[in-house]
Amino acid sequence: MRSGGRSDPVAALIRAATHADAAAVGAIYDHYVRETVVTFEETEVGANAMATRVADVQSRGLPWLVVECDGHLAGYAYAGPWKARSAYRHTVESTIYLAPGHTGRGLGLPLYRALLDALRACGTHAVIGGISLPNAASIALHEKVGFRPIGRLVEVGRKFDRWIDVGYWQLLL
């Protein structure tokens, strides 16, 4: 799928992740582990662990997509099970990350829309997005694709010596 950016169009290709993408996906994610509270992981993951994660998601019949821009992997989005119990099987939790230097270029919206289209195609009913707060950009992206806020958990994470709230957004497909 080809998509464009906002005011300065960016040629992008959105496709399913492959094993060969694991190192680039891991590098993007590890930046967020090291530098931000966007993820609550505190130890870098690396290529091998990321390859296992991608394979696990895809083995469940769920999408893991990447976006390429100018020949480089610029971000990824995927959905994993919300909870393990069988009654939750039609609900997933979505995740999206863009590489540093690729945020604000109009890549997130088409990537998230492609993820939601793939989730519709595989019979998903509800999508949950968890956002470490504050995070105005992530909130705006989720709401732009139709998510609505459903709750806030106060001080449930601790990273970089501070307490972090998590907000939850939901989209019914």
Side-chain angles (χ1 to χ4, degrees):
M1 171 187 302
R2 295 233 176 245
S3 58
R6 291 187 305 221
S7 59
D8 71 331
V10 174
L13 171 68
I14 298 171
R15 60 171 175 78
T18 69
H19 183 78
D21 296 318
V25 168
I28 291 169
Y29 185 65
D30 285 345
H31 160 79
Y32 287 94
V33 171
R34 284 189 314 272
E35 305 293 331
T36 76
V37 297
V38 170
T39 175
F40 285 178
E41 286 198 75
E42 298 177 287
T43 304
E44 292 183 29
V45 173
N48 291 337
M50 194 55 75
T52 300
R53 291 179 185 192
V54 172
D56 178 60
V57 165
Q58 291 175 333
S59 74
R60 296 170 185 269
L62 293 170
W64 190 306
L65 305 177
V66 296
V67 60
E68 291 180 8
C69 182
D70 301 323
H72 300 285
L73 201 132
Y76 66 93
Y78 71 94
W82 168 243
K83 300 270 186 184
R85 293 190 173 74
S86 65
Y88 292 116
R89 68 189 172 278
H90 301 288
T91 300
V92 298
E93 183 172 12
S94 60
T95 300
I96 182 168
Y97 286 97
L98 294 175
H102 286 89
T103 60
R105 297 180 65 194
L107 296 172
L109 188 59
L111 178 59
Y112 218 143
R113 286 181 174 152
L115 177 68
L116 296 173
D117 288 345
L119 290 169
R120 282 182 191 93
C122 67
T124 300
H125 176 68
V127 185
I128 308 292
I131 303 172
S132 302
L133 301 174
N135 189 334
S138 187
I139 291 169
L141 177 60
H142 280 81
E143 292 184 354
K144 194 172 279 189
V145 296
F147 282 76
R148 296 293 168 245
I150 56 169
R152 181 182 189 127
L153 303 175
V154 177
E155 296 183 1
V156 294
R158 187 165 179 83
K159 189 173 178 182
F160 303 138
D161 294 321
R162 69 178 216 224
W163 290 107
I164 303 144
D165 295 358
V166 176
Y168 283 94
W169 275 252
Q170 180 181 20
L171 175 65
L172 297 178
L173 299 176

